[in-house]
Amino acid sequence: GGGGGGGGGDVDDRPPFGGTAAFAPPANGGGGGGSSSSSGGGSSAKKVRVLDPKRANQVGIVSRSLPPIKQVVAAIKQLDGNLMNLEQLQMLQKILPTDEELTAIKAVLNTEENTILDEPEIYQLHLADIGGVKTRAKIWEFTWTFREKLAEEVPKMEAMTKACQQIRFSTGVAVLLGILLTCGNLLNHGNRRRGDASGFGIELLTK
């Protein structure tokens, strides 16, 4: 296709799924929520909102607090923290399209003529056009938060390791276990009801 300005052609104005419906023009104050008409010529374009009002409102509010859509797309594709920060990424994940939403939007794209999608639907289509967008976003968030989460877990692992070492090398614990073993063997010896068992299960120490 026909080139147009924005670097690298990450986002264009064609429906990503090749349908017959058109994207709504970027916020052009077209008024009246339901349908809008092309000036002149008799052909009228119907503006369609597929998402429910609450969800559309959420997508609209979040998208306005994020960088421009081309920058968002580039950030996710490149996992570039200079284009979008962690807080923005976490906000974006709340409005990534679900499978059900995409199915409904694509159905409109593929079946309805002279249709203009509303801006929240357009935004979701651009996001969905990024391969594996949900997985990319999750992995990117993980790489961003890994060190912080690791720092939280290290003291727990160190405490567990220290406790295991103290139990393993403690002479007192060894003596106590020996006494319990001897007592258990004496009690069970010749007791068929208990299987004439020697030794004891480690889980019995808590009883």
Side-chain angles (χ1 to χ4, degrees), residues 2-205:
D10 282 327
V11 177
D12 60 26
D13 293 327
R14 294 172 293 115
F17 301 99
T20 57
F23 275 0
N28 231 358
S35 62
S36 58
S37 300
S38 304
S39 59
S43 68
S44 61
K46 181 175 59 174
K47 194 170 190 178
V48 173
R49 172 169 288 178
V50 181
L51 304 175
D52 70 72
K54 185 175 180 180
R55 176 64 164 164
N57 189 50
Q58 180 192 29
V59 174
I61 291 172
V62 172
S63 64
R64 285 192 290 273
S65 66
L66 296 175
I69 184 61
K70 287 187 178 182
Q71 184 173 326
V72 170
V73 170
I76 296 175
K77 284 184 174 181
Q78 301 165 22
L79 306 184
D80 189 343
N82 294 317
L83 299 177
M84 194 163 68
N85 60 38
L86 175 60
E87 182 181 358
Q88 291 171 329
L89 174 63
Q90 291 171 333
M91 291 172 61
L92 178 71
Q93 290 185 82
K94 296 177 182 178
I95 63 169
L96 291 176
T98 65
D99 292 340
E100 293 77 12
E101 288 168 344
L102 278 181
T103 298
I105 295 171
K106 286 193 284 185
V108 171
L109 281 173
N110 292 327
T111 60
E112 298 198 24
E113 300 284 345
N114 295 324
T115 297
I116 297 177
L117 290 175
D118 210 352
E119 290 174 14
E121 284 80 358
I122 297 169
Y123 199 90
Q124 285 201 328
L125 282 180
H126 283 313
L127 295 176
D129 210 26
I130 304 170
V133 61
K134 290 182 180 179
T135 303
R136 283 175 177 269
K138 285 181 180 179
I139 291 174
W140 194 13
E141 182 183 17
F142 175 77
T143 62
W144 227 320
T145 59
F146 172 74
R147 291 185 183 279
E148 179 183 341
K149 290 180 178 179
L150 180 62
E152 293 174 359
E153 297 302 322
V154 164
K156 300 176 187 178
M157 292 188 292
E158 289 176 343
M160 177 63 73
T161 301
K162 187 175 181 180
C164 290
Q165 288 176 338
Q166 288 178 339
I167 291 174
R168 182 179 179 185
F169 298 110
S170 168
T171 54
V173 171
V175 170
L176 175 61
L177 292 177
I179 294 172
L180 291 173
L181 178 61
T182 301
C183 291
N185 289 345
L186 286 173
L187 290 172
N188 291 338
H189 180 68
N191 188 333
R192 293 187 177 182
R193 186 171 61 85
R194 298 191 179 182
D196 198 15
S198 298
F200 62 90
I202 198 72
E203 69 278 0
L204 295 177
L205 292 177

